[in-house]
């Protein structure tokens, strides 16, 4: 009979086999100092001096405001995607409506509702939390919450053209959910909000939407980032 490896209170064994329940957790390691390298209009770049149990290391971090995205499904289970230019990768990507959490005092669900209207010209009667994720936790503090929106209706006056540059022209595409899944798995669609959101919607539908959570469900990942100074908060008066 095999004997499980000994573990400490955190669940880490001498052989580095994790035996405790699986789930993101833990407190930040001590930060001995922080150097601001860059502060832009949307995010900042800092260098943190981290204490890894007595061993120091420098980690460059993009401090992000966080974001929301919306997987909107119509009555035929077609996903609403918009085509938007993304300059960092130099390509037009198909993505769900999404936006930064950069409006002072605006709850994430309200931001999702606003972004769905502004980027697609639609509103929704039924809202749920589909999933939460970190987009690139190796160097970026962004946490994103993806909502599922159903019961869609077009805004009477169409999409309000509040954006500029990339957001001035956002063509809509209605893609059956099964086809959207195949586009993700084939590599034809690669935006993280689209990949995660489409696959989560497809998987949740297969279980009768049993995994959905109410739209105002607490968001522990964002609360953790806020408490540990890992969110780029909106600047007042343009500062």
């Amino acid at each position: 009979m095999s004997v499980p490896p000994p573990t400490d209170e955190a669940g880490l064994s001498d052989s580095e086999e994790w035996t405790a329940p699986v789930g993101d957790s833990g407190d930040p390691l001590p930060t001995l100092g922080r150097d601001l390298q860059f502060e832009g209009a949307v995010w900042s770049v800092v260098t943190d001096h981290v204490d890894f149990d007595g061993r120091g290391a420098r980690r460059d971090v993009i401090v992000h405001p966080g974001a929301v995205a919306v997987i909107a499904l119509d009555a035929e289970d077609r996903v609403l995607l918009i085509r938007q230019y993304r300059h960092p990768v130099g390509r037009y990507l198909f993505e769900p409506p999404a936006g930064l959490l950069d409006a002072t005092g605006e709850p994430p669900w309200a931001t999702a509702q606003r972004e769905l209207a502004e980027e697609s010209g639609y509103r929704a009667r039924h809202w749920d939390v589909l999933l939460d994720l970190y987009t690139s936790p190796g160097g970026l503090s962004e946490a994103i919450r993806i909502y599922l929106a159903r019961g869609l209706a077009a805004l009477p006056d169409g999409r309000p053209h509040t954006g500029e540059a990339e957001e001035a022209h956002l063509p809509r595409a209605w893609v059956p959910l099964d086809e959207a899944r195949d586009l993700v798995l084939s590599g034809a669609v690669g935006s993280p909000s689209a990949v995660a959101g489409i696959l989560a919607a497809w998987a949740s539908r297969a279980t009768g939407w049993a995994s959905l959570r109410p739209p105002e469900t607490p968001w522990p990942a964002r609360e953790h980032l806020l408490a540990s100074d890992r969110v780029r908060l909106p600047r007042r008066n343009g500062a």
Side-chain angles (χ1 to χ4, degrees):
M1 182 178 67
S2 62
V3 177
T7 62
D8 59 20
E9 293 182 357
L12 185 63
S13 71
D14 292 341
S15 65
E16 295 193 336
E17 292 291 333
W18 184 262
T19 59
V22 173
D24 299 339
S25 62
D27 295 322
L29 294 178
T31 300
L32 305 178
R34 168 171 284 189
D35 302 323
L36 177 63
Q37 307 292 359
F38 169 79
E39 187 166 37
V42 177
W43 47 66
S44 306
V45 178
V46 301
T47 299
D48 283 341
H49 303 263
V50 187
D51 180 4
F52 285 87
D53 194 21
R55 299 185 301 274
R58 290 160 42 111
R59 293 291 179 264
D60 295 331
V61 179
I62 300 173
V63 183
H64 194 280
V68 294
V70 182
I71 295 294
L73 288 182
D74 70 3
E76 300 174 39
D77 276 359
R78 296 183 303 170
V79 183
L80 170 61
L81 299 176
I82 58 174
R83 186 175 185 263
Q84 184 171 6
Y85 181 69
R86 292 301 191 182
H87 183 69
V89 297
R91 303 190 80 182
Y92 286 90
L93 304 184
F94 281 94
E95 304 178 329
L100 299 171
L101 293 169
D102 58 358
T104 302
E106 185 176 63
W109 180 24
T111 302
Q113 293 172 304
R114 176 173 57 79
E115 292 292 348
L116 177 62
E118 291 179 357
E119 295 198 342
S120 74
Y122 279 77
R123 60 174 178 252
R125 291 193 308 273
H126 305 297
W127 290 83
D128 298 279
V129 173
L130 185 58
L131 79 159
D132 303 321
L133 70 150
Y134 300 107
T135 51
S136 185
L140 174 66
S141 72
E142 181 185 18
I144 182 170
R145 168 159 279 188
I146 302 182
Y147 293 87
L148 180 71
R150 292 173 291 177
L152 303 180
L155 297 178
D157 297 327
R159 182 171 83 89
H161 289 273
T162 58
E164 58 183 1
E166 294 94 338
E167 297 180 353
H169 183 56
L170 299 174
R172 292 184 296 268
W174 296 91
V175 185
L177 185 54
D178 287 343
E179 181 181 334
R181 174 208 58 191
D182 293 342
L183 290 171
V184 167
L185 295 179
S186 71
V189 169
S191 170
S193 58
V195 170
I198 288 168
L199 293 182
W202 185 85
S204 186
R205 186 184 64 174
T207 66
W209 303 110
S211 65
L212 299 180
R213 292 169 281 160
E216 295 178 317
T217 298
W219 188 358
R222 180 163 176 82
E223 293 166 6
H224 167 81
L225 292 169
L226 285 166
S228 59
D229 194 23
R230 285 170 164 80
V231 174
R232 168 70 183 267
L233 297 173
R235 299 314 194 234
R236 294 185 178 180
N237 300 322

